[in-house]
Amino acid sequence: MSQRRRSNAAVPPPPEGAGDAITTGASSAEKERRDLPWMAGSDRRVLALALAFRAANALLVRTYFNPDEHWQCLEVAHRIVFGYGHLTWEWKQGLRSYLHPFVFAALYKFLALLHLDTPWFMAMAPRLLQSVFASFGDLYLYKLSKLIFNNHVAQWALFSQLVNWFMFFCITRTLSNSMETVLTVAGLYYWFTAMKSSRGTSVVSNQQAASKQRPPSRKMALLIAALACAIRPTSAITWLYIGLLDFIQMKSKSRFLFLEIIPLGVLVLAAVTFLDCWMYGSPVIVPLNFLKFNLFSSGGDYYGTHVFHWYFSQGFPSMVWSFLPFSIYGIMKSREWRLAGLIAWVLAVYSILGHKEFRFVLPVLPLMFMFSGYNLAAMVQFKGKGCNEKGHLSRLQLSVILLILTNLPMALYMSLFHQRGTEDVMFYLSREAHDGRVKSVLFLMPCHSTPYYSTLHYNIPMRFLDCTPSEKKGTLDESDRFLMNPSYFVGKNFGNLSSFSHIVLFESEERHVKLLLHNSFKEVRRFFHSHFKVDRDLQSSVVVYSQMDAL
């Protein structure tokens, strides 16, 4: 990828070092019209905007998306701090690192010390903390876009990321993929800053030029990349592409390899391995186990597979949504093939794996908004026929209205309504348990359908249907056997259910076991869950039954 500005680019050249004006002779009035007033200003102002927006974002996310948000992060953190919490089979096989859960364990410890570990704080504080990390991801996308293009592109790239429905829906969740995304964008910023500096180009921010600070070295980028790989070993897919392209062009390859990559990699790997060995209580190298299970043995296929082209034809387009044509046009006009190639590379490599999920390719989603920002910034200069006439909307205004109307309703619906019952029921049970009205709970639903002790935050017996993969191919787990014949499974495994004070299940399975419940249980609450099905029968609501003696 050429690092120099191109004279035929659709967007004006980057800002000159002396100021923030465009090098096209535009007046300050024109510049103000091009800027987004609520985004214009210093990086601190952008960060303040992002912090406020993501905090509201976190408070508005009240739905269930992926079990890993709770079961592979918060549940582990809760166990570290409070001594109880369920560890899934992955933790018993050394497939997960404690590095990511430790971040939220610190939060839980802080809440406990201040006696703020109430049901509301236990449910919302982790997402509010993640919103802080997410806001730095927004800031670094802004800075990266300004570095590669210019300030106007950076503003529109940030606009694109804040408006996009999937980023709103996912980035404030406590998934390791969310943290990986933030680290990837930050790492790319430091990497490209170092590369531009080493090649003698003058693309540094005005603030750096004013303070005469030395641009961040690529060691910072490598350190961030190592942390991303420690949290998600598959992050190496991204950094392998970035590193190899520059490694080929480097003059001092041995210096880069032996004085930067290997020392930093060994340092981070040693620190994380020490942490994991300490927590596991035995020698374990998590990245090796993770890659062995997911890449070499296709263990992830147990949870379902998709066709090879799914990321290209369905998954990634659904995430980018209505920004897709703007991003594709931005790629073609900007000709930043290196970043565009990174997106294609990541999608292609993940396509080889049978098990596919939206969140796996989240780290390259912000790059699409950078290209969308390039396109929208180019529209600012477009003088369409009649665009200045009273009563006529410009091409840019129409595009912004279209993007907001196609993303905002979807973001709010998916964050506030779709699959919220399993979150609401645990918040309800938490309050009831703290008031002494819940003694034990049985979840008659597919495994990991709800949060667990990390939200309940009360040490009572609970039981859910297990779905640990079997070494014997074709063996059905408890979830599958329950869904095949609910009444038979319950009668055989739990008898008259008298050992549980409360039973939680989806409405779709309720009718199959209602005869087993009507004698000694009574419905106490029903929570809306979904208007349409996802991968099973319509799970329209979550129902809570309680023993009559417990009422």
Side-chain angles (χ1 to χ4, degrees):
M1 178 186 71
S2 175
Q3 300 293 341
R4 298 185 177 87
R5 296 295 118 203
R6 290 169 290 275
S7 59
N8 60 345
V11 174
E16 72 273 12
D20 206 26
I22 310 176
T23 57
T24 56
S27 67
S28 60
E30 288 179 356
K31 174 186 174 294
E32 289 174 2
R33 287 198 298 270
R34 288 172 185 161
D35 278 335
L36 296 174
W38 45 279
M39 288 184 186
S42 66
D43 290 349
R44 288 186 179 181
R45 185 172 178 179
V46 171
L47 178 59
L49 167 69
L51 284 167
F53 182 88
R54 291 304 177 194
N57 184 173
L59 293 173
L60 287 171
V61 173
R62 308 303 294 270
T63 55
Y64 199 78
F65 172 42
N66 187 278
D68 283 11
E69 176 183 3
H70 300 282
W71 293 81
Q72 304 298 354
C73 177
L74 301 184
E75 194 68 15
V76 182
H78 191 276
R79 185 183 179 93
I80 293 172
V81 176
F82 300 104
Y84 62 97
H86 183 83
L87 295 183
T88 61
W89 63 272
E90 291 100 325
W91 294 91
K92 298 171 185 176
Q93 295 189 15
L95 299 178
R96 302 279 182 174
S97 172
Y98 277 90
L99 178 60
H100 185 233
F102 246 71
V103 175
F104 296 91
L107 171 66
Y108 282 152
K109 189 65 176 179
F110 177 75
L111 294 178
L113 291 173
L114 296 180
H115 302 289
L116 291 175
D117 51 329
T118 62
W120 189 90
F121 276 102
M122 293 300 292
M124 298 307 302
R127 284 178 180 165
L128 286 171
L129 176 59
Q130 178 58 36
S131 74
V132 176
F133 299 133
S135 65
F136 278 93
D138 296 330
L139 172 65
Y140 276 105
L141 176 66
Y142 174 84
K143 295 175 71 172
L144 178 62
S145 302
K146 186 163 61 172
L147 181 73
I148 299 297
F149 298 116
N150 60 43
N151 187 57
H152 305 298
V153 174
Q155 292 176 19
W156 286 107
L158 180 58
F159 164 82
S160 301
Q161 174 143 302
L162 297 182
V163 170
N164 175 257
W165 81 271
F166 191 84
M167 193 61 73
F168 188 95
F169 174 67
C170 188
I171 196 63
T172 61
R173 297 179 184 273
T174 54
L175 294 161
S176 58
N177 310 90
S178 300
M179 189 71 78
E180 178 194 9
T181 300
V182 173
L183 292 173
T184 298
V185 176
L188 287 174
Y189 167 74
Y190 287 115
W191 181 269
F192 278 95
T193 300
M195 290 301 101
K196 286 177 179 289
S197 176
S198 66
R199 291 173 185 175
T201 58
S202 59
V203 185
V204 292
S205 69
N206 298 326
Q207 293 169 330
Q208 287 176 333
S211 61
K212 297 182 179 180
Q213 293 177 343
R214 182 185 177 187
S217 73
R218 63 186 175 209
K219 291 181 181 178
M220 175 64 77
L222 291 172
L223 178 61
I224 294 174
L227 290 173
C229 292
I231 291 174
R232 294 282 304 178
T234 49
S235 191
I237 296 171
T238 298
W239 291 101
L240 182 65
Y241 172 93
I242 293 294
L244 279 178
L245 287 185
D246 279 313
F247 184 77
I248 294 172
Q249 303 176 33
M250 285 180 185
K251 295 180 180 179
S252 55
K253 291 182 173 62
S254 58
R255 176 184 176 85
F256 176 63
L257 186 63
F258 293 105
L259 296 183
E260 295 185 32
I261 289 184
I262 292 179
L264 281 170
V266 170
L267 177 64
V268 172
L269 178 61
V272 174
T273 300
F274 175 80
L275 171 66
D276 291 331
C277 290
W278 174 45
M279 293 303 300
Y280 276 104
S282 61
V284 60
I285 302 179
V286 170
L288 182 62
N289 293 341
F290 183 93
L291 294 174
K292 181 180 177 181
F293 179 83
N294 287 283
L295 295 181
F296 305 137
S297 66
S298 300
D301 292 358
Y302 178 82
Y303 294 105
T305 60
H306 294 80
V307 294
F308 174 82
H309 56 76
W310 184 80
Y311 281 122
F312 290 97
S313 61
Q314 301 173 55
F316 203 58
S318 298
M319 296 164 67
V320 184
W321 195 232
S322 54
F323 285 94
L324 186 61
F326 295 89
S327 298
I328 292 176
Y329 189 74
I331 290 173
M332 302 304 294
K333 293 294 290 184
S334 68
R335 293 186 294 174
E336 289 288 348
W337 303 120
R338 183 176 189 177
L339 290 176
L342 173 59
I343 298 171
W345 161 259
V346 170
L347 295 181
V349 173
Y350 274 107
S351 294
I352 298 173
L353 305 177
H355 180 60
K356 300 175 176 65
E357 295 185 34
F358 294 103
R359 62 191 178 94
F360 291 168
V361 294
L362 183 64
V364 294
L365 184 59
L367 300 183
M368 292 295 283
F369 303 135
M370 183 189 301
F371 290 115
S372 172
Y374 186 97
N375 192 4
L376 291 171
M379 289 183 185
V380 175
Q381 293 185 312
F382 180 77
K383 302 288 186 180
K385 184 178 180 180
C387 67
N388 291 323
E389 296 178 10
K390 188 176 181 179
H392 287 76
L393 295 174
S394 69
R395 180 180 173 187
L396 175 66
Q397 290 170 327
L398 288 172
S399 298
V400 169
I401 292 172
L402 171 67
L403 291 169
I404 292 176
L405 289 180
T406 52
N407 281 272
L408 182 59
M410 194 167 178
L412 292 177
Y413 176 77
M414 296 297 290
S415 300
L416 287 170
F417 301 106
H418 182 59
Q419 298 192 118
R420 72 168 292 158
T422 51
E423 295 264 344
D424 289 341
V425 72
M426 290 307 298
F427 187 62
Y428 163 77
L429 289 174
S430 177
R431 287 185 282 113
E432 292 290 293
H434 281 77
D435 290 338
R437 290 191 286 269
V438 178
K439 305 301 181 184
S440 56
V441 186
L442 170 63
F443 295 89
L444 291 177
M445 46 191 13
C447 68
H448 309 143
S449 292
T450 68
Y452 213 49
Y453 283 111
S454 60
T455 298
L456 188 78
H457 192 48
Y458 204 83
N459 195 7
I460 59 174
M462 294 201 292
R463 171 80 155 86
F464 67 93
L465 303 182
D466 185 61
C467 58
T468 301
S470 173
E471 294 181 0
K472 296 181 180 179
K473 208 168 185 179
T475 302
L476 298 178
D477 57 40
E478 286 188 346
S479 288
D480 293 329
R481 286 186 280 129
F482 169 73
L483 293 174
M484 288 179 63
N485 194 334
S487 59
Y488 173 78
F489 178 86
V490 172
K492 180 181 178 181
N493 290 273
F494 303 107
N496 61 6
L497 301 172
S498 59
S499 59
F500 301 98
S501 69
H502 287 71
I503 294 176
V504 182
L505 68 167
F506 284 118
E507 185 182 31
S508 55
E509 281 76 49
E510 178 189 19
R511 63 182 183 272
H512 298 295
V513 298
K514 204 162 189 177
L515 289 176
L516 300 175
L517 300 173
H518 79 283
N519 288 328
S520 55
F521 285 83
K522 182 180 180 180
E523 177 186 330
V524 291
R525 288 298 297 267
R526 187 175 293 262
F527 298 93
F528 165 77
H529 185 62
S530 175
H531 287 113
F532 53 90
K533 65 180 182 180
V534 180
D535 56 353
R536 296 183 175 92
D537 292 337
L538 174 61
Q539 299 166 337
S540 57
S541 61
V542 177
V543 190
V544 181
Y545 280 84
S546 174
Q547 277 202 41
M548 294 182 182
D549 294 341
L551 294 175

